[in-house]
Amino acid sequence: MKNKKQRGRKSYRFVDRTRLQLSGGSGGRGCTSMFHIGRKRKKKPDGGHGGNGGSILIIADPVEQSLRWTRPHVTAEAGAAGGSNAKYGRNGKNTIIRVPCGVEKVEIADLDKPGSYVVIAKGGRGGYGNMTFASSNEPMPPPEVIAEYAEPDLGESCRIELELKLIADIGLVGFPNAGKSSLLSATSRATPYIAPYPFTTLNPLVGYIEYRDGFRVCAADVPGLIAGASEGKGKGHDFLRHLERTKALLYIVDAAGIDGRNPISDFEILMHELSAYGDGDMLNRRCLVVANKIDLLLKDEREEIYTRLQEKAEEAGIRMETNVIGISAGATGEGLPLLTKAIRDTVTSSEADKLKEEQYA
Ligand SMILES: Nc1nc2c(ncn2[C@@H]2O[C@H](COP(=O)(O)OP(=O)(O)OP(=O)(O)O)[C@@H](O)[C@H]2O)c(=O)[nH]1
Ligand SMILES: [Mg+2]
């Protein structure tokens, strides 16, 4: 009987792109009313102002994982109408849409830090009550003018497209079946599907590698890349997008070449695809190179593959934190303690790089 981890958890629907129709609440109508002073015929305008409509805010919340919950149409609450006796209408409540950190609203905002927010559809202003004209010096304007002032503004309306780019400390880059999910499963509590066929993982998944002193590294298991991914082949753009914001990268190859693949040329293709994607900046990121499935190789074969991968990495000039690491993520677990330590060092170094950059910027 397979245990829970081997069976894999039922996957949730991951949505990383969504379209929304947003409308701010309209303002409340201003009131037109007259207050009769004593028994005299004198009257005083006392209509209160309408409340302002609520706005729609989009806030980055680290608890959220996907854009799935979002309803396609969202309208904020309208402001209440003003009342007689100078009563102001209540303002409409703001509607808050919580999205995962890493959501981009193109050209408007980048919600990368927890709590960062943007107001998208502003609520309408409430109408003025006729008490605006209660001054004793000025004569009352005609009713049409009062009615025009009492009219509230409608809330802003817009259609937007949100796009999620995962923010993880380290991203796993590899061909389908290389053992990315096996590695995430072996080092964290995440329970991805693992199976001996390519494209088992269809959506990116995040897991936390936890260390004894409480330090945590967030690792993103991204679906396998293939040659031509940087041109969009095999949904390459959708997957590479999630690696764009990771602090460091972990290249993983199937050293045993189970599917008749060659680990060295696989590694070259992976580096080529990353350099060809976007502005090619991903290749300059701190990284680790990992040879998986070494349990299927003899000692000499392992050493040869490590040396050749190391040569290729040095030729390409990528910023490796340590030499090539051999592991067996899905079988014996060999090499995993060394790898988890190296992952921590790589992430810490890239964080230090970022701090330095910010200081000198
Ligand atoms: N012998 C051996 N098999 C392994 C090892 N790691 C993973 N596998 C097997 O390789 C196959 C693919 O593993 P996955 O972890 O699903 O690979 P993946 O890179 O996530 O694949 P995709 O999700 O399709 O991109 C599974 O059958 C695993 O059992 C290992 O260290 N040794
Ligand atoms: Mg997988």
Side-chain angles (χ1 to χ4, degrees), residues 174-183 193-202 221-224 258 292-296 327-332:
F175 265 79
N177 252 348
K180 300 175 293 300
S181 305
S182 303
L183 174 59
Y193 277 120
I194 296 170
Y197 50 82
F199 294 108
T200 314
T201 306
L202 293 173
D221 173 15
V222 177
I258 284 184
N292 189 27
K293 308 194 189 178
I294 56 163
D295 53 294
L296 302 174
I327 60 163
S328 166
T332 61

